[in-house]
Amino acid sequence: MAQVSLEGIRKVYPNGFQAVQTTSFTIQDGEFVVLVGPSGCGKSTLLRMIAGLEEITEGTLKIGDRVVNDVDPADRDIAMVFQNYALYPHMTVRKNIGYGLKNRGNPASEIAAKVEDAAKMLNLTEYLDRKPAQLSGGQRQRVAMGRAVVRDPALFLFDEPLSNLDAKLRNQMRIEIKALQRRLGTTAVYVTHDQVEAMTMADRIIVLNAGRIEQIGTPSEIYHNPASTFVASFMGAPPMNLIRAQVEQGEVRINGYDGLMPAPASQNGPVTLGIRPEDVVLDDHGNIPFRVDILEELGAHRLLHGVVGEQPFSVMIGKDDAASTGTATLNLKPEALRLFDPETGRKL
Amino acid sequence: MAETTLETPVETHRPRRIKWGAIGDHTVLILGALLMMIPPLLALTTASHDAVTIHREGLQLTLGDNLGKNFHAAMFEKGGFTQTVDGTLMLMNSFILGIGFAVGKIIISMMAAYAIVYFRLRFATLAFWVIFTTLLLPLEVRILPSYEAIQKLGLTNTYTGLIVPLIASATGTFFFRQFFMSVPEELAEAARIDGAGPWKFFVDILVPLSRTMIAAIFIIMFVFGWNQYLWPTLITTDESFFTLVRGIKQIVLSYTDSQIPEHGQALALAIVAMIPPVAIVVFFQNWFVKGLTESDK
Amino acid sequence: MKRAGFDTIWLPVALLMPQLLIIAIFFYWPAGWALQSSFYLQDPFGFGSTFVGGENYTSLLGNDQYKRVAVFTILYSVLVTFFSLAIALLLAIKADKVIRGAKTYRTLLMWVYAIAPPVAGFLGILFFDQSTGPLTKFFQMFGWDFKLGVDYNATATAMVIVAVWKQIPVNFIFFLSGLQSIPRSVREAAMIDNRSATGRFWQVTFPLLAPTAFFLLIINITYALFDTFGVIDALMKGEPGNNPMTLVYKVYLDGFRGNDLGGSSAQSVILMVLVLILTVFQFRLMERRIHYT
């Protein structure tokens, strides 16, 4: 068990490409941290630097109290689960799980016992003598987990471990991984591009974009108080509505309409206004006209897609609420309004 | 795969249309198979006749009654100038050349390919080019200087001189390089996290992973080594080092003699020279085809 | 190079050493030596040599016999490449189409791969035998007095036929595997878009086979240039005389029978340059296939 701290970590590839800009954060002991962002945002590079598979250009990486910049991956006391699982195809499940222990020189009887334990924990006991090719995707995923668990590491690293599974299995494995990590209390860093995984699994989320940290926070903070328009549109499905607006005399006006609301910020001029679709209320007496183009039925609720003053806009309503395509009017919940700088995208 | 031919008019009945196309396909294939099969088969039937018949009438379509006798003579009767070499000895030499070449090539090229693919080496690119310049340049092109080199090293009439110079080309290395590049990167990374150093990774993971590839390239290299002709002809003047294919030269020369030579025996020996490589290619054809067609990717 | 390569130095060096040593001793040393001696004139009795500059090369290029051999080599390579590719492609297309017996056909069509070129040449001798050869009789039916080893054109014809026969299996295997690697969905899309089978072949299948065909083109040229040595040697029955031969055969003949070290070396160098050019082509092709397949 260990805390992990990154101090001024930076990664520049030999070809000059800067994959990760100077970054600092600390992961607490036992915490489940998810690195999330679009592809190419540097999240995998960050993870691989922690694993020791990628050299750190600049900065200090500590696992526990130890600086591990120059420590071999095998000696960092970590375990990693890869996207394609990276199981050794010619070894049985038993050998796959025990290979790391064998290389550490553990006695055979101890390895056997630990492998059995890990297999039991992951419901793999009956598959121990099969080869990876004879297993289903979900079982392979479990073997990869077993390989990580059996080493009892200080730190788990997950590199998009669920993206090769179908949707149903993914939901199930998501819960299993989280439960396992809770039970073992091992610190975990988890990389994904799937914001649902990030929201559901993380104690804390780190949102990355173009090699830079956009925001660090709990899922709730990230969802309700995005630090930038990038986070607002990347996290949450459906994403937050972002439309151009004006702040004049302490009031927000949406372009083209005099839909007036009190402005939380004391600033004048153009702003980007953000509001989650569920914080919008359809109201016959509302002051913002909304043209509904498409009605999306999602079961538990419905989504209305349309435009407000030429700008795309979505509204979420309950499953029993009446709605139809055509024109309607809206009210926005004032406490749910978020204002962003239209130039930088940062929160005001 | 079920591709129907639409060349014939649409109004004909569907089953009949497919049938005609298929008959055409099969006819072409059967003709092709006959083209490939007939020459060696005729050699076999002819080898079952006595020398006089063969000399007078040439190739024979039917089986005669001298098959066993001719093969026995070819394998166990000593021939050549010194009367010391028989078919069995030549067969053994062929196996030594085929297996020695294949095994040597696989070991050496696997190691080199591993070094090139999996290590950060400053001179890796240089080594790469030094090795891969030799890719298509066969021994035949530099035959005279290679012969001189072997002579200077005193390796004529040795198995080393016979086998090692043939290994000096990059085909195997290139093959393994391509295969190693196709192995997922994560496997090496997982092994590193599992505490496997470079040598352990090679022995524990990469070599077992390459088993099929090794089998495939073994077949190709065995056939290549077995079928070597020019190099053994030059390097082995001592008849006790003759391979079967090298011995073909003697057979050809004897065949053109004006007197009645032992045609049946000569044919029998040629057939013996064909059997092992043909057998290995036919029995392991899935591996062989895989190895051959993947070597260029 | 892999993303996360190992960093040690001594191991890769040790792993590369055997290959590099063998290549240095049995490839670069002889090649360099050939280059050097191509500028010298060797005393026929072995008493030293004199530097003659490019004379070996100029005398080669002015030599009618060498020119004849070069012309034959080109013609021979073109014919062997064309016919073995064409026949193999036809067979591969048919073998790819049939459902019944596909595996049997494949076996029957490919096993000749394993026959050594001189053995194939020896079979050729039987078929082209002056008095009893069935193919000799076949050509005589057309009034051609076919005499293997005596008549230049007859010998050349026999050499081409045997070399083509021997090379069909390799081309067949590659074409068949190329055809089978075309995704089923692409074929099905083509069947919906184009109802003519011939049209589909030329517009969809053939372009997708093009990389295989280019690769085979180079393989076949090198085969015709070098690997047919055994075929040629067998068919001329050890008597070069007036017989056609390829450039490689002449290197061997001048070097070992004619003891013309300088001339033979100069020929070697010319061939090496030729092959190097082919190698570069080949290499770019291979690299490209790695990236796009």
Side-chain angles (χ1 to χ4, degrees):
Chain A
M1 315 303 125
Q3 106 175 4
V4 179
S5 63
L6 287 79
E7 292 157 21
I9 296 279
R10 203 163 82 95
K11 175 72 190 182
V12 181
Y13 281 105
N15 63 10
F17 174 69
Q18 177 164 319
V20 176
Q21 300 181 25
T22 309
T23 299
S24 300
F25 59 86
T26 301
I27 300 164
Q28 300 305 326
D29 186 11
E31 195 177 17
F32 197 111
V33 166
V34 174
L35 302 178
V36 68
S39 60
C41 70
K43 57 188 190 298
S44 282
T45 310
L46 209 49
L47 187 80
R48 294 165 54 78
M49 282 195 284
I50 299 174
L53 298 171
E54 204 83 70
E55 224 159 288
I56 296 168
T57 312
E58 206 179 282
T60 310
L61 172 68
K62 280 190 197 165
I63 299 178
D65 298 324
R66 190 163 61 128
V67 175
V68 293
N69 282 42
D70 298 319
V71 176
D72 199 76
D75 302 326
R76 291 191 181 194
D77 201 13
I78 54 161
M80 185 155 167
V81 178
F82 293 88
Q83 179 174 0
N84 62 5
Y85 317 139
L87 302 179
Y88 311 120
H90 59 290
M91 293 186 190
T92 59
V93 170
R94 191 187 301 278
K95 289 202 170 138
N96 258 291
I97 297 179
Y99 186 63
L101 297 178
K102 194 179 138 217
N103 286 335
R104 284 183 181 179
N106 292 25
S109 58
E110 193 188 319
I111 296 175
K114 282 191 175 176
V115 171
E116 291 286 346
D117 283 351
K120 200 180 283 174
M121 197 189 311
L122 290 155
N123 291 326
L124 282 170
T125 311
E126 55 186 303
Y127 306 111
L128 275 175
D129 293 311
R130 293 207 193 163
K131 297 218 171 136
Q134 298 163 292
L135 301 176
S136 71
Q139 288 162 346
R140 281 181 218 178
Q141 222 287 321
R142 280 205 183 89
V143 177
M145 289 289 299
R147 198 163 62 175
V149 166
V150 79
R151 309 183 49 179
D152 190 20
L155 177 62
F156 281 140
L157 301 173
F158 298 94
D159 191 2
E160 308 219 12
L162 302 182
S163 54
N164 284 359
L165 299 177
D166 63 52
K168 196 177 165 202
L169 209 50
R170 204 170 344 175
N171 288 343
Q172 183 194 333
M173 286 309 295
R174 210 163 67 195
I175 296 162
E176 280 187 32
I177 291 178
K178 177 78 180 167
L180 193 69
Q181 189 265 348
R182 273 276 159 281
R183 182 144 43 107
L184 298 170
T186 310
T187 316
V189 183
Y190 187 108
V191 160
T192 182
H193 64 268
D194 179 353
Q195 52 92 20
V196 179
E197 267 172 41
M199 294 294 288
T200 52
M201 298 177 85
D203 295 327
R204 269 199 306 162
I205 295 175
I206 298 177
V207 185
L208 288 154
N209 182 31
R212 212 161 45 83
I213 293 182
E214 289 276 339
Q215 188 173 7
I216 303 181
T218 63
S220 164
E221 283 165 6
I222 298 270
Y223 188 79
H224 296 293
N225 280 311
S228 64
T229 50
F230 174 82
V231 178
S233 57
F234 189 77
M235 301 297 289
M240 188 178 258
N241 290 305
L242 293 169
I243 54 177
R244 292 186 300 276
Q246 292 281 344
V247 175
E248 281 166 22
Q249 294 145 12
E251 288 187 320
V252 182
R253 298 164 183 227
I254 296 170
N255 291 358
Y257 298 95
D258 292 335
L260 302 180
M261 286 150 292
S266 59
Q267 185 187 353
N268 281 340
V271 292
T272 300
L273 180 147
I275 186 154
R276 293 273 170 203
E278 64 269 29
D279 294 326
V280 183
V281 187
L282 277 187
D283 182 349
D284 290 341
H285 308 290
N287 46 10
I288 304 168
F290 175 46
R291 196 184 79 222
V292 184
D293 294 330
I294 291 167
L295 201 157
E296 206 180 356
E297 188 68 61
L298 295 174
H301 45 252
R302 294 151 116 187
L303 267 181
L304 309 179
H305 299 285
V307 290
V308 165
E310 307 291 302
Q311 303 181 65
F313 200 86
S314 307
V315 177
M316 186 184 286
I317 58 173
K319 65 177 193 284
D320 301 322
D321 295 349
S324 62
T325 53
T327 49
T329 49
L330 305 169
N331 269 331
L332 310 179
K333 290 183 186 167
E335 72 277 11
L337 284 182
R338 301 289 176 262
L339 297 181
F340 301 95
D341 185 325
E343 302 287 319
T344 63
R346 304 305 297 178
K347 190 182 170 188
L348 288 172
Chain B
M1 290 295 143
E3 197 175 321
T4 50
T5 317
L6 293 178
E7 278 155 337
T8 40
V10 185
E11 55 266 27
T12 43
H13 293 298
R14 191 177 166 79
R16 208 180 130 208
R17 190 174 68 206
I18 295 168
K19 217 170 155 191
W20 278 117
I23 287 175
D25 296 342
H26 282 283
T27 311
V28 171
L29 287 169
I30 288 167
L31 286 177
L34 286 176
L35 171 73
M36 300 324 279
M37 299 291 293
I38 284 176
L41 282 185
L42 279 187
L44 182 66
T45 49
T46 309
S48 67
H49 290 266
D50 63 77
V52 181
T53 316
I54 303 170
H55 188 69
R56 284 211 195 113
E57 299 166 27
L59 291 165
Q60 300 292 315
L61 285 167
T62 54
L63 268 180
D65 42 16
N66 283 9
L67 191 66
K69 185 173 152 265
N70 283 338
F71 270 92
H72 187 271
M75 293 310 288
F76 303 110
E77 250 170 47
K78 307 228 184 270
F81 297 113
T82 52
Q83 304 292 313
T84 54
V85 57
D86 59 19
T88 323
L89 183 66
M90 283 155 78
L91 185 67
M92 193 190 77
N93 283 332
S94 281
F95 271 110
I96 291 174
L97 175 56
I99 294 174
F101 170 71
V103 170
K105 183 118 184 165
I106 286 170
I107 292 174
I108 283 171
S109 51
M110 252 186 122
M111 294 195 315
Y114 178 54
I116 288 172
V117 174
Y118 278 94
F119 291 86
R120 276 186 256 252
L121 273 184
R122 214 168 292 145
F123 60 92
T125 323
L126 180 69
F128 181 84
W129 283 109
V130 164
I131 293 172
F132 291 114
T133 308
T134 68
L135 193 62
L136 284 186
L137 212 57
L139 194 56
E140 280 83 359
V141 181
R142 56 201 149 86
I143 193 73
L144 184 64
S146 297
Y147 175 75
E148 298 279 339
I150 288 296
Q151 217 174 24
K152 278 182 196 156
L153 295 169
L155 290 174
T156 47
N157 288 318
T158 62
Y159 290 119
T160 315
L162 192 58
I163 294 170
V164 179
L166 289 170
I167 297 176
S169 87
T171 45
T173 315
F174 194 84
F175 178 93
F176 281 112
R177 172 182 174 262
Q178 303 305 82
F179 175 66
F180 290 163
M181 304 254 277
S182 76
V183 172
E185 306 241 11
E186 286 83 356
L187 227 47
E189 295 174 351
R192 282 186 77 181
I193 291 176
D194 272 341
W199 181 251
K200 244 186 148 72
F201 171 69
F202 186 53
V203 175
D204 281 358
I205 315 266
L206 208 54
V207 172
L209 211 61
S210 316
R211 276 180 309 198
T212 325
M213 292 291 136
I214 293 172
I217 201 143
F218 179 85
I219 295 166
I220 294 168
M221 292 302 162
F222 173 79
V223 172
F224 184 85
W226 181 283
N227 287 347
Q228 280 304 305
Y229 174 63
L230 176 58
W231 185 245
T233 307
L234 297 174
I235 287 303
T236 58
T237 46
D238 178 347
E239 287 178 3
S240 62
F241 285 96
F242 274 19
T243 64
L244 285 166
V245 175
R246 160 76 174 88
I248 289 294
K249 181 138 191 151
Q250 256 52 33
I251 295 172
V252 169
L253 293 179
S254 83
Y255 210 83
T256 52
D257 270 356
S258 45
Q259 323 133 7
I260 299 176
E262 283 302 331
H263 281 335
Q265 269 186 52
L267 274 163
L269 207 58
I271 288 165
V272 173
M274 288 187 233
I275 289 173
V278 167
I280 196 173
V281 162
V282 170
F283 285 126
F284 301 107
Q285 61 174 294
N286 285 334
W287 281 349
F288 161 73
V289 169
K290 189 176 157 69
L292 197 65
T293 52
E294 300 214 339
S295 61
D296 74 301
K297 278 183 189 147
Chain C
M1 242 281 299
K2 294 272 178 178
R3 191 165 62 186
F6 296 103
D7 278 323
T8 43
I9 286 291
W10 61 269
L11 183 66
V13 171
L15 288 169
L16 274 171
M17 219 22 97
Q19 169 103 62
L20 289 177
L21 266 180
I22 288 178
I23 284 185
I25 297 172
F26 297 110
F27 185 90
Y28 284 101
W29 183 29
W33 194 74
L35 188 62
Q36 193 200 7
S37 32
S38 72
F39 295 108
Y40 285 84
L41 193 64
Q42 200 86 13
D43 184 281
F45 302 103
F47 301 117
S49 50
T50 8
F51 182 78
V52 291
E55 205 176 285
N56 284 323
Y57 291 95
T58 46
S59 74
L60 264 186
L61 298 177
N63 183 331
D64 281 341
Q65 204 205 346
Y66 188 73
K67 277 186 204 156
R68 234 177 93 186
V69 172
V71 168
F72 174 74
T73 307
I74 293 169
L75 199 65
Y76 178 75
S77 305
V78 169
L79 289 174
V80 169
T81 303
F82 175 77
F83 282 110
S84 59
L85 281 177
I87 297 170
L89 180 59
L90 175 72
L91 291 171
I93 291 168
K94 299 300 180 190
D96 182 44
K97 258 191 195 171
V98 298
I99 303 147
R100 276 162 192 264
K103 184 125 196 274
T104 313
Y105 283 126
R106 193 183 79 169
T107 311
L108 294 181
L109 287 167
M110 64 173 245
W111 69 285
V112 163
Y113 169 88
I115 293 179
V119 176
F122 176 60
L123 294 177
I125 291 179
L126 301 176
F127 276 81
F128 292 104
D129 187 277
Q130 267 191 45
S131 48
T132 61
L135 287 173
T136 306
K137 285 177 186 157
F138 173 78
F139 285 118
Q140 280 167 348
M141 284 191 335
F142 297 96
W144 183 5
D145 186 19
F146 196 94
K147 282 185 178 156
L148 182 70
V150 179
D151 176 23
Y152 184 92
N153 287 332
T155 315
T157 307
M159 285 174 178
V160 171
I161 290 174
V162 175
V164 167
W165 180 76
K166 171 79 186 79
Q167 185 66 359
I168 288 173
V170 177
N171 295 338
F172 170 76
I173 293 167
F174 273 99
F175 275 134
L176 185 61
S177 110
L179 283 168
Q180 286 174 344
S181 68
I182 296 174
R184 201 195 167 114
S185 56
V186 171
R187 290 164 186 247
E188 286 168 349
M191 285 179 73
I192 292 165
D193 289 339
N194 191 341
R195 53 190 299 271
S196 146
T198 326
R200 282 203 303 271
F201 176 77
W202 289 111
Q203 287 155 22
V204 179
T205 314
F206 192 74
L208 288 172
L209 266 188
T212 310
F214 274 121
F215 170 78
L216 283 178
L217 194 65
I218 290 171
I219 291 291
N220 278 268
I221 292 172
T222 42
Y223 162 79
L225 288 177
F226 308 116
D227 300 342
T228 53
F229 182 93
V231 172
I232 290 167
D233 192 44
L235 283 173
M236 65 172 62
K237 294 181 275 193
E239 287 166 29
N242 181 37
N243 282 320
M245 67 181 77
T246 56
L247 288 168
V248 149
Y249 199 87
K250 195 160 162 52
V251 170
Y252 158 78
L253 203 65
D254 290 357
F256 286 94
R257 298 240 193 127
N259 277 326
D260 174 11
L261 197 62
S264 172
S265 298
Q267 292 179 37
S268 275
V269 172
I270 291 174
L271 277 179
M272 278 191 248
V273 171
L274 195 71
V275 177
L276 229 49
I277 294 168
L278 279 175
T279 312
V280 170
F281 267 117
Q282 167 89 323
F283 216 88
R284 301 186 70 160
L285 222 67
M286 283 176 164
E287 289 282 293
R288 214 181 303 161
R289 290 192 70 184
I290 301 162
H291 293 305
Y292 296 108
T293 51

